[in-house]
Amino acid sequence: MAIDQIIVEKNVPCVMRDGVTLYGDIYRPNQEGKFPVLLTRLPYNKDLPFYSHRYLDTNRLVRNGYVVIIQDVRGRFHSEGKFYPFLNEAEDGYDTVEWAAAQPYSNGKVGMFGLSYYGYTQLLAATEQPPHLKAIVPAMTLNDWRNNSLDGGGKFLVASSETWALESVAPEELKRKYGDSAEYAAMMEKMADFYNGIEEWYKYKPIQEWPPLKKLGAAGYFFDLLEGKVTEEMGERMSILNKYQQINVPAYHIAGWYDNLLPSTLKNFTELQKNGQGLQRLIIGPWGHGVFSSVIGERNFGLQSSGDWIDGKDDLTGLHIRWFDHWLKGEDTVTADAAPIRLFVMGVNEWRDEWEWPLARTTYVPYYLHSGGQANTRFGDGTLSVERQMKEEPADTFVYDPSNPVPTNGGGTLYAGVQTMGPKDQRQLEEREDVLVYTSEPLKDALEVTGPVKVKLWAKTDAVDTDFTAKLVDVHPDGTAYNLTDGIVRAQYRNGKNQGESIKDEIVPYEIELWPTSNVFLPGHCIRVEISSSNFPRYDTNLNTGETMITSSEYKVAHQTVYHGAAYPSYIMLPIIR
C-alpha cells in the first residue's frame, strides 16, 4: 500500500567517532511502524532539489515504504569538519550506517544509493563492513581517487579535475572561509570570472601553479595531488583496489558506455562478482555521467534506451525499489539465477541480458592498418581490413605540436565548456594533418563489437617522450563518423609503469587500451580507426620533453611515424560477437 504523506526532518545531527557532527535530511513515511533506511552521502549540498542527481525519484522510494536519509559529507555545507575528497568516507560511512539503523523508525536494515562521489561513499563504507548495511546501488563511480585523476599511465585528466575543483569544491570552501562578508562576494565574482573562461585556463601550464585555485586559495587537495603530497596511507584510505575482499554486500552497479568512470565501474562489478561475497548485478546503458536520456551527444538511441523507460518496461527508480525490496524487506523481487548483466547494444539499439564480462563467446579479431604512406586525414589512403599485409608498406607520418593539440570531441568526458560527452561527428577533426585515418570497406553484413578494445601500434618518435591516441569510429553511409571509444598511451608508461628511458628514434610497440563498448556496425557502415598524439583537454598534452604540463611549460614539436606491414603489423583488436 502506497504511503501518501511524507515527514521531512531537516539537519538531523549524526556524531562521528571523533566527535565531528554531520547533518542529514530525513524523509520518512507519515505512519507508524519501522522501515528500512536508504542512505546517500554527498558533497554537493543535500538542500538542492536535485540531490539525487536527477536520476532517481526519492519521494517514490519513501512512498514505497522506505526512510530516505541524505547527508552532507564531512566538511561540506551543514556538516562539520574539514573536507578532503574521500579521505574520511569509509569510517564516516560506517558510523552513519550504524546510526541510521538505530533510529526509532528503522527496522535495522540499511541500503545505500548514489552516483559518482556518492556512489563511491557506498563502496568505501562497505569496506568497513557495517553490520546493518545490507545492499548498495553504486552508479557510475570510482575505485581509486588518484587513478581517476592522475592515472597510472602518467596522464592527468586536466579538464575534469580542474572543473570539479573550481565548480564543485571551491565555492563551498570560500563560503566557509569568508561567511556572508563582502570579501566572500568579491571572491565569488572572481571565481565566476575564472569559470567563465575555463576553456582558456585548461591550457595553462605548469598546472601546479594553476591561477584560478591559487588566487582563490581553495581546493588545496588539488595541489597535494599534483605535488605528490597525497601519502600512501592517505591513498589507501581513498582506494578500494586492495579491498574488494572486504566488501560483502549485494551491489547493483550502474554504468554507461559514454560515462567518464566506465572502466572503474566495470572493474568494481567484475572484482566483486569474482569474490562471490554478495550477489552482483550490472546494467550498462548508452549513457553519460549522470545523463540517462535517450539522446546523448549527437545521437538518439530511442526512447527505450532512457533510464526513465528501460526497454519500455522499467525505470531506474523501479530498479532500485526491487533491489532494495529483496534485500531489505525480504520480498521475492530478485532472482539469484537470473542473468547478472543487462547491456544496451548500440547500432541495433537493443537491450540484452548477458552472463559474464567480457562475454565468453567473444572472438578477438585483428583489423590491420594499411596505407600507401598518406593516411593523414579522412581524405588520405588509410585503410583497415582483416587481411594482414605480407609485404612492407610505406609508413605514415605526422607532426605533433603540443601548442595545437587535437581537441576532445565527445566521448567519456565530464567537464565544463562547449564540448559535450557522448557520440559526436568526428569528420572535422579527421581533416587535420596530425590525425591518421584508417577506414574499412563498407560492411556487407552486420558486425557486433562488444567488449574491451585494444590497439597494437608500432611507432617511432624523435622526442624523448610522447603520447599516442586511438579512436574507434562508426562511419554511417552518409559519411557521418560517430566515436564509440578511445584510448591513449604515454610512451614512458607503455608497459604499465614508468620505463625511465628515452624512446627517441626507436620503433616501439605500444598497446593502447580503449574503453569497452557495445555496437553493431550495420551493413553499409564502415569501421574507422583514428591515430594521433593528443586528446585535449580531456588529457594533458605531452610536452615531448620528458616533463609534463604539471611542472613545465616548455615543449618541443615531435615528428611521429606509424608503421604497418609485414614487419610491424599495427592493428586494432576488436571483440566480435557472432
Side-chain angles (χ1 to χ4, degrees), residues 463-465 492 494 499-506 508:
V464 296
D465 187 31
Q492 287 190 10
R494 61 192 177 278
Q499 301 300 299
E501 78 272 2
S502 171
I503 40 76
K504 184 176 181 180
D505 298 326
E506 294 183 21
V508 174

Short mmCIF file of all heavy atoms in Angstrom, two decimals, residues 463-465 492 494 499-506 508:
data_model
loop_
_atom_site.label_atom_id
_atom_site.label_comp_id
_atom_site.label_asym_id
_atom_site.label_seq_id
_atom_site.Cartn_x
_atom_site.Cartn_y
_atom_site.Cartn_z
N ALA A 463 61.07 12.44 -30.26
CA ALA A 463 61.03 13.06 -28.93
C ALA A 463 61.45 12.04 -27.88
O ALA A 463 61.39 10.84 -28.10
CB ALA A 463 59.62 13.57 -28.64
N VAL A 464 61.86 12.55 -26.72
CA VAL A 464 62.26 11.64 -25.64
C VAL A 464 61.05 10.99 -24.97
O VAL A 464 61.16 9.94 -24.34
CB VAL A 464 63.11 12.37 -24.59
CG1 VAL A 464 64.42 12.85 -25.21
CG2 VAL A 464 62.35 13.53 -23.95
N ASP A 465 59.91 11.63 -25.10
CA ASP A 465 58.65 11.07 -24.61
C ASP A 465 57.53 11.67 -25.44
O ASP A 465 57.66 12.79 -25.96
CB ASP A 465 58.45 11.39 -23.13
CG ASP A 465 57.23 10.68 -22.54
OD1 ASP A 465 56.91 9.56 -23.01
OD2 ASP A 465 56.62 11.22 -21.60
N GLN A 492 56.49 6.73 -21.97
CA GLN A 492 57.28 6.29 -20.82
C GLN A 492 56.55 5.26 -19.97
O GLN A 492 57.17 4.54 -19.20
CB GLN A 492 57.68 7.49 -19.96
CG GLN A 492 58.75 8.36 -20.59
CD GLN A 492 59.29 9.40 -19.62
OE1 GLN A 492 59.00 9.37 -18.43
NE2 GLN A 492 60.09 10.32 -20.13
N ARG A 494 54.47 2.87 -21.30
CA ARG A 494 53.85 1.99 -22.30
C ARG A 494 53.65 0.56 -21.81
O ARG A 494 52.83 -0.16 -22.36
CB ARG A 494 54.68 1.98 -23.58
CG ARG A 494 56.10 1.49 -23.41
CD ARG A 494 56.94 1.79 -24.64
NE ARG A 494 58.33 1.38 -24.47
CZ ARG A 494 59.24 2.11 -23.84
NH1 ARG A 494 58.91 3.27 -23.32
NH2 ARG A 494 60.49 1.68 -23.73
N GLN A 499 58.97 3.62 -17.54
CA GLN A 499 60.13 2.88 -18.05
C GLN A 499 61.45 3.59 -17.74
O GLN A 499 62.49 2.96 -17.64
CB GLN A 499 60.00 2.68 -19.56
CG GLN A 499 58.75 1.91 -19.97
CD GLN A 499 58.69 0.53 -19.37
OE1 GLN A 499 59.57 -0.28 -19.62
NE2 GLN A 499 57.68 0.27 -18.56
N GLY A 500 61.37 4.93 -17.66
CA GLY A 500 62.54 5.68 -17.23
C GLY A 500 63.62 5.84 -18.28
O GLY A 500 64.71 6.32 -17.97
N GLU A 501 63.33 5.46 -19.54
CA GLU A 501 64.36 5.66 -20.56
C GLU A 501 63.73 6.29 -21.80
O GLU A 501 62.52 6.20 -22.01
CB GLU A 501 65.05 4.34 -20.94
CG GLU A 501 64.25 3.44 -21.88
CD GLU A 501 63.29 2.50 -21.15
OE1 GLU A 501 63.23 2.58 -19.92
OE2 GLU A 501 62.62 1.72 -21.82
N SER A 502 64.54 6.94 -22.60
CA SER A 502 64.07 7.60 -23.80
C SER A 502 63.72 6.58 -24.87
O SER A 502 64.34 5.52 -24.97
CB SER A 502 65.16 8.54 -24.34
OG SER A 502 64.80 9.03 -25.62
N ILE A 503 62.69 6.89 -25.66
CA ILE A 503 62.33 6.03 -26.80
C ILE A 503 62.61 6.77 -28.12
O ILE A 503 62.13 6.37 -29.17
CB ILE A 503 60.85 5.62 -26.71
CG1 ILE A 503 59.95 6.78 -26.24
CG2 ILE A 503 60.66 4.46 -25.76
CD1 ILE A 503 59.65 7.84 -27.22
N LYS A 504 63.41 7.83 -28.03
CA LYS A 504 63.67 8.65 -29.20
C LYS A 504 64.30 7.84 -30.33
O LYS A 504 65.27 7.10 -30.13
CB LYS A 504 64.61 9.80 -28.81
CG LYS A 504 64.89 10.78 -29.93
CD LYS A 504 65.75 11.94 -29.44
CE LYS A 504 66.00 12.94 -30.56
NZ LYS A 504 66.84 14.08 -30.10
N ASP A 505 63.70 7.96 -31.52
CA ASP A 505 64.20 7.35 -32.76
C ASP A 505 64.21 5.83 -32.74
O ASP A 505 64.91 5.19 -33.53
CB ASP A 505 65.61 7.87 -33.10
CG ASP A 505 65.62 9.37 -33.35
OD1 ASP A 505 64.62 9.87 -33.90
OD2 ASP A 505 66.60 10.04 -32.98
N GLU A 506 63.42 5.23 -31.86
CA GLU A 506 63.28 3.77 -31.84
C GLU A 506 61.88 3.38 -32.29
O GLU A 506 60.91 4.04 -31.95
CB GLU A 506 63.51 3.22 -30.43
CG GLU A 506 64.92 3.40 -29.91
CD GLU A 506 65.08 2.74 -28.54
OE1 GLU A 506 64.25 1.86 -28.21
OE2 GLU A 506 66.00 3.13 -27.81
N VAL A 508 58.93 1.33 -31.60
CA VAL A 508 58.48 0.75 -30.33
C VAL A 508 57.05 0.26 -30.47
O VAL A 508 56.21 0.94 -31.07
CB VAL A 508 58.55 1.82 -29.21
CG1 VAL A 508 57.97 1.30 -27.91
CG2 VAL A 508 60.00 2.27 -29.01
#
